[in-house]
Amino acid sequence: PDGTEFRPILPLVKYADSVRKFLAINKTRALSIVGHTDNHGDAKANLKLGTERAENVMRYFRELGVPPRQMAAFSEGGKHPV
C-alpha cells in the first residue's frame, strides 16, 4: 500500500490471465489501468505515485503478452481514496 511495487497474489494472477485471454480473442478491446493513492499529502506527488503504480501493473500485463496498444495507464491520484 505504501509503494509502487506490484506483487500479484494468486486470485489476481488468475484474473490477469483471464484478462489476457479476453484481450487476445478481442483484439479491438483495450484495458484501462488506473492508479490510485490515498488523499494525504501533496496532490501532485499522489498523482505521480498513482501513475507509477498503474505503469507497473501495465508492465505486468506486457510480461503476460498483452500488446501495449491494447492498454493505457493513468492516475486518479487521491481523487477516490478508499
Side-chain angles (χ1 to χ4, degrees):
D2 295 325
T4 62
E5 183 181 355
F6 182 66
R7 294 172 293 197
I9 57 175
L10 186 57
L12 182 59
V13 170
K14 290 180 179 182
Y15 176 74
D17 190 55
S18 70
V19 171
R20 178 193 60 79
K21 288 176 184 175
F22 174 83
L23 292 173
I25 294 168
N26 299 280
K27 299 199 183 299
T28 61
R29 302 302 294 263
L31 175 63
S32 293
I33 302 166
V34 184
H36 293 274
T37 67
D38 61 23
N39 59 356
H40 299 283
D42 181 66
K44 194 172 185 178
N46 283 340
L47 196 61
K48 182 177 183 274
L49 177 60
T51 299
E52 291 171 3
R53 289 175 173 174
E55 288 173 348
N56 283 336
V57 173
M58 191 165 75
R59 193 171 299 114
Y60 176 76
F61 276 98
R62 274 197 315 259
E63 290 170 3
L64 290 180
V66 177
R69 72 180 184 292
Q70 279 186 279
M71 297 184 286
F74 60 96
S75 175
E76 289 288 327
K79 285 184 183 178
H80 306 287
V82 173

